[in-house]
Amino acid sequence: MNGMEKKLAEYKCDTNEAICLKLVRFAEEVDDESTTFHPEYSHQLYGDDEVAFGYKGLQIQLYYSAGNLITLFKVKYSARVTENFDCMEPDDVEGKIREIIPAGFSCNTDDFISLLEKETNFKPFGTLLHTYHVHNVEAGEDFTYQIHKVDVSCPGFREYHERLQTFLMWFIETASFIDVDDDRWDFFLVFEKYNNDGETLFATVGYMTVYNYYVYPDKTRPRVSQMLILPPFQGEGHGAQLLEAVHRFYCNLPKVQDITAEDPSENYVKLRDYVLVKLCQTLPSFSTDKLPLGFSDDMATEAREKLKINKKHARRVYEILRLKVTDMSDETKARDYRLEVKKRLFAPTKKNQRELTKMMKCLRPEELASHISQMDTALQQEELEKSYQEVLAEYRRVIERLAQA
């Protein structure tokens, strides 16, 4: 790197560090750095490198009022490349943000602080589904939370949602905004209910969007599209509360076939495992005496009819609950369990083998050579054992969380 390149490198900023997010309840929090959090992703706006060029000390402030998400947007920096290099143009960092935040934001801190006073007028949208409490160790008291079911016809919700969905860009890797004009969308929101000087206020905690697909002839299949608990509230159990409340809501609708998720992340799958196991462990077909007998049609039917859980997910729930009641120090019981799980894991490979056997009859020698490696039994066994151990670790985490609940 030559001298010029070194100087220009000083004007590169990591956009994940430069973007400063806040959920502001009180005026003094605006300047309190301890309340700031940063994105996990910014590539959708600033490219795969997540770098902005042209600034030193870049700070992109996106502060939201805790309840109604009224927005303050400011860009600060200590130096810009054009001050020292006439031929260089800085990236349009401000323009990129303006592409995703709706109109009506403030650029003045004093104006934003004055708008915080209106937070007392903000009330959650929609219908209250569930209230729960979480003990806050630091405060030494229980905090109250509410989950609401909302549709886009609620007055003010459309504008609120436009502000809320901007968080998706920073915390979901493949996020995209949805068409709220489609009435098949359901929205579920989590709020914290708190008091300040005798007044009751609400803070936005997170939300979920669900799309209702048509299933012939007269059913629907709700599919979870997006789910986000905002960073200041993560790790407190709100995701599990939200997912369970949503499941219970759809369980009461006769027209619902089952509940699925669109391209679920690894973290979502872990959360779903926990919630579905928690729900299923009280069903008669999943009783302790029936689990060692294997996965049954009764389990699949009861999970579908009572909890809107499809067969694939019900099978996974069965495996977790069976592990929970299996003495893995007993060689026979451990072997039976291992074979039961591996049988499911091996099923796709076995199907591929059958198809390959059929193909071999019509493949040319060079084509056969490229496929034959797929039938390496030793390699398959090794991969199968690896998959089994990974699944076992995932299941044990779910069981540990159940024990702590």
Side-chain angles (χ1 to χ4, degrees):
M1 185 181 291
N2 60 37
M4 176 64 78
E5 289 174 333
K6 286 182 179 179
K7 289 180 179 179
L8 290 176
E10 295 176 3
Y11 290 89
K12 289 183 178 180
C13 298
D14 181 332
T15 48
N16 288 338
E17 294 179 4
I19 296 168
C20 299
L21 305 167
K22 280 183 189 284
L23 294 168
V24 182
R25 302 187 187 200
F26 311 112
E28 55 268 25
E29 292 178 347
V30 171
D31 296 319
D32 182 357
E33 291 187 8
S34 68
T35 62
T36 301
F37 56 100
H38 301 275
E40 290 182 24
Y41 310 103
S42 55
H43 61 277
Q44 295 211 60
L45 267 66
Y46 296 108
D48 291 342
D49 291 339
E50 297 180 323
V51 167
F53 171 75
Y55 307 89
K56 284 184 180 180
L58 178 64
Q59 189 178 88
I60 302 168
Q61 296 179 346
L62 274 173
Y63 297 172
Y64 297 80
S65 62
N68 202 21
L69 305 180
I70 299 303
T71 311
L72 170 67
F73 171 45
K74 296 174 72 175
V75 176
K76 295 182 176 181
Y77 49 85
S78 58
R80 199 163 69 159
V81 71
T82 49
E83 295 166 3
N84 295 305
F85 302 92
D86 294 336
C87 59
M88 297 290 179
E89 283 297 321
D91 292 342
D92 183 11
V93 293
E94 185 173 330
K96 293 291 185 183
I97 298 292
R98 288 176 180 270
E99 289 176 10
I100 66 164
I101 61 172
F105 57 84
S106 175
C107 294
N108 181 280
T109 303
D110 291 336
D111 291 345
F112 175 73
I113 289 174
S114 68
L115 290 171
L116 291 177
E117 298 175 5
K118 297 182 179 180
E119 284 287 282
T120 54
N121 300 324
F122 174 73
K123 297 294 182 286
F125 302 95
T127 306
L128 176 63
L129 292 184
H130 177 53
T131 300
Y132 63 98
H133 305 278
V134 175
H135 185 71
N136 185 286
V137 177
E138 188 176 330
E141 59 181 296
D142 290 346
F143 288 3
T144 301
Y145 298 89
Q146 296 181 349
I147 297 174
H148 289 243
K149 158 73 169 56
V150 192
D151 63 64
V152 76
S153 65
C154 290
F157 176 70
R158 180 187 293 270
E159 294 76 16
Y160 166 86
H161 177 261
E162 286 181 354
R163 298 189 290 273
L164 176 60
Q165 70 178 351
T166 59
F167 284 100
L168 296 177
M169 288 295 170
W170 314 128
F171 298 103
I172 296 181
E173 190 171 9
T174 57
S176 60
F177 293 164
I178 64 174
D179 176 15
V180 295
D181 290 323
D182 189 332
D183 61 8
R184 285 176 289 185
W185 284 108
D186 286 334
F187 301 85
F188 299 87
L189 288 90
V190 186
F191 296 96
E192 179 188 345
K193 182 180 180 182
Y194 66 101
N195 292 302
N196 180 45
D197 293 335
E199 292 184 295
T200 299
L201 292 93
F202 293 88
T204 300
V205 172
Y207 81 120
M208 177 190 290
T209 58
V210 180
Y211 192 79
N212 293 286
Y213 282 87
Y214 168 71
V215 178
Y216 181 85
D218 61 350
K219 299 278 189 180
T220 61
R221 174 171 284 124
R223 179 181 292 178
V224 176
S225 174
Q226 300 157 324
M227 179 179 181
L228 176 65
I229 301 299
L230 297 173
F233 301 96
Q234 289 177 4
E236 298 177 355
H238 301 294
Q241 289 281 356
L242 176 57
L243 187 56
E244 182 174 345
V246 169
H247 257 275
R248 292 191 183 281
F249 170 79
Y250 287 118
C251 285
N252 293 321
L253 303 182
K255 293 291 187 181
V256 170
Q257 176 79 16
D258 53 36
I259 304 164
T260 61
E262 178 184 337
D263 191 20
S265 67
E266 185 177 327
N267 285 335
Y268 180 85
V269 171
K270 291 176 183 177
L271 181 66
R272 182 175 62 194
D273 282 344
Y274 168 73
V275 170
L276 297 191
V277 169
K278 183 182 175 185
L279 293 171
C280 284
Q281 64 183 351
T282 60
L283 298 179
S285 62
F286 287 86
S287 61
T288 303
D289 58 316
K290 292 179 180 177
L291 289 168
L293 302 178
F295 184 65
S296 66
D297 290 340
D298 287 345
M299 291 176 179
T301 301
E302 189 173 23
R304 185 186 70 251
E305 292 182 350
K306 292 185 178 179
L307 297 173
K308 312 297 184 181
I309 298 172
N310 63 37
K311 187 174 182 179
K312 178 182 176 182
H313 296 160
R315 166 73 194 213
R316 191 170 168 95
V317 166
Y318 148 75
E319 290 177 2
I320 296 171
L321 287 175
R322 179 165 173 179
L323 176 62
K324 184 171 181 282
V325 302
T326 298
D327 180 3
M328 295 299 279
S329 65
D330 183 313
E331 289 187 13
T332 301
K333 291 178 180 178
R335 178 180 177 276
D336 289 346
Y337 178 79
R338 183 176 67 253
L339 293 177
E340 180 79 358
V341 175
K342 283 188 172 182
K343 182 180 177 182
R344 175 185 63 80
L345 294 173
F346 188 65
T349 305
K350 195 171 183 181
K351 181 182 178 183
N352 290 341
Q353 278 188 334
R354 289 197 300 268
E355 292 175 352
L356 187 58
T357 301
K358 293 177 184 177
M359 289 171 60
M360 286 173 63
K361 296 176 182 179
C362 56
L363 287 176
R364 295 192 299 272
E366 60 272 20
E367 293 174 322
L368 180 59
S370 67
H371 287 281
I372 201 69
S373 60
Q374 297 180 35
M375 298 187 67
D376 186 330
T377 305
L379 182 61
Q380 284 180 1
Q381 290 298 328
E382 185 180 325
E383 289 297 318
L384 183 60
E385 177 62 22
K386 181 182 177 183
S387 296
Y388 171 70
Q389 292 299 334
E390 289 173 352
V391 163
L392 204 61
E394 292 170 9
Y395 289 178
R396 282 176 172 149
R397 281 193 289 268
V398 175
I399 293 168
E400 287 173 9
R401 185 171 181 181
L402 280 170
Q404 295 166 2

